[in-house]
Structure formats: C-alpha cells, structure tokens
Amino acid sequence: MGYQLGLIGYPVQHSLSPFIHHQFMENADIQGEYQLYETEPEQLEKRLDQLTEAGISGFNVTVPYKQAVMPFLEEVDQEALKIGAVNTVVNDNGTLKGYNTDGIGYIRSLEEACPDVLGEDKKILILGAGGAARGIYRALAKHGIRYISIANRTKSKAEGLLDLKDLHTQTEILSNSEAEDALGNYDLVVHTTSVGMSPKQDDQVISLNNLKPHTVVSDIVYKPLNTKLLRQAERMGARSHQGHTMLLYQAQYAFEIWTGTHPSMDGLVEQLEQRLRGN
Ligand code: ATR
C-alpha cells in the first residue's frame, strides 16, 4: 500500500503539495499516495480522528489550522511548540506528533541558492511578524545568525517574536518606514507577509529605494514567482530569492520525517517554476 500522506487545510484544492510529494516518491523509489483533505473548521477534529483510524502515515497542515491542530496532537516537537505552529504530523500507531518544517525548509532553500548570506556575522531583516516570520526567525537564530531585525506594520506584534530568540541573537524591532531607511545595513531581507500575492500582485510591503546591490532580497510569496518586491530588487542590482524554493524544501524535510528518506530535488525546482508560470 505504501505511505498514505496528505494535506489538511481550507481551501487546499490548488495546492502544489501532491505534485511535489509524488515527485519525491518517484525520485526516492518509494510507494505511496498524497491526497488533499479540504476540511471545514467545525470538521477538523473529526477529520483528524478519521485519518488516524484509517492509518494515515502522516500529513501536512496548512492555513488556517497550523495552530488549531495543536491541541489535538499527543506530542508536539519542542521547536514547533516554541514557534506555536505545526505544519507536519506523523501518525505513530495512532499517536499523532507535530513538527514545523517551514523555518528549516527556508534555511535549506537559502543554503542552496545563496549560502553566503547565512554567515553568522551577516545582518538579516525580516519583514512581517506572523506565523511564517516566527518559523523563519527561529530557524535563523538557531542557525547562529547574530543580527536579525524584524520590521512590521504593527511594531508591538514584532516584539512578540523576541521570546523565540537565542542568547547570541541581537534583535532590533523596526517600523516598516524605519526598515525602508535602514535597508542599506542588511545582507538579506526576507519578506514573510502575504503582501504582493496574486491577485494583489501590485502591492509591495515596503519600498526598496535604499537597497544596496550586495543585498539578497527573498520573498516567501511564490504566486507570482517574480513578485513586485523581487522585481524592484533586481532593478536595483540586488540578487533575488524566490518563494517556491521554500515550499519545496519544507516539503522535503516533511518527507524525511515521514519516511526517513532524503528525497532528491532532481529537476523539481524547474518543474515547479513551469507549473507556477502556467497558473
Ligand atoms: P502568517 O501566519 O501567514 O504569517 P499572519 O499571522 O496573518 O500570517 O501575519 C501576517 C503578517 O503580514 C503580519 O506581520 C501583518 O502585519 P500586522 O502584524 O501589522 O498585521 C503583515 N501584513 C498583512 N497585511 C499587511 C499590509 N497590507 N501591509 C503591511 N503588513 C501586512
């Protein structure tokens, strides 16, 4: 029968996860199936019970259930607990255990595309302070990055991320306009909000007018692939890092948790790009 995997969320019908995980299975020569489980909020508990009883091997959790799923799990990994969100669940003979692979997936995607910005003396600016920002901030701090600033429309919300920091990480909290002025200080700028996502692709969270060409601008939005923010970064002579790679690497880490196998990315980045361009 192979691995029985899937995704719980609402809505999920346009998810790229089945495509990604079926490719991983093919690349790793592993049998299995990855299905979409679109679930209305009042059906979440019932859905979890059904899937557990049916012997599902594991599943991903996406919007809007990354926090809501946590009380229903028997165990939550320390890092996911700190971040306050779960995106990957393993069913160990009826015992559900939750993990968060978003932050590590993000780090892996950077290691692949621009490893130079992950030096511990590098300065990183995170734009946004929601769930995605929490995972990325935590992973960067754990990676050993010493200077990480967080800018957010609501400054007080960004302060809430400080409980995640490690002792060696110095963190400054900025408003979005302070971040615009200070852009030249950073080696990497990571955009973690949904601003600029299709169908509002003409929006941009901050202006990059003060960006220096040595900086990498990374956007976790991947619809469109080349967001307005990334297009401005490129016009300013900076490097850009697109969001679909984070999607792939968080999936790769989830696949490893479920199967114990590291699947190859063989051709997947390009295939995903083609799919996203076709959308
Ligand atoms: P997620 O969990 O997907 O990261 P979230 O928790 O809703 O989403 O967080 C969304 C982030 O995007 C927040 O940092 C939010 O800023 P506020 O804390 O001020 O709400 C930011 N955000 C959303 N819409 C925005 C906008 N139009 N301009 C600037 N920031 C925005």
Side-chain angles (χ1 to χ4, degrees), residues 44 61-62 64-72 83-86 131 134:
L44 179 62
V61 181
T62 188
Y65 302 130
K66 288 187 182 185
Q67 291 176 325
V69 76
M70 294 175 75
F72 300 114
I83 293 162
V86 158
R134 287 184 74 82

Side-chain angles (χ1 to χ4, degrees), residues 1-6 31-35 37 54-59:
M1 193 166 84
Y3 284 91
Q4 297 300 310
L5 303 169
Q31 301 298 311
E33 226 184 333
Y34 187 105
Q35 297 190 55
Y37 299 105
I56 195 160
S57 322
F59 52 90

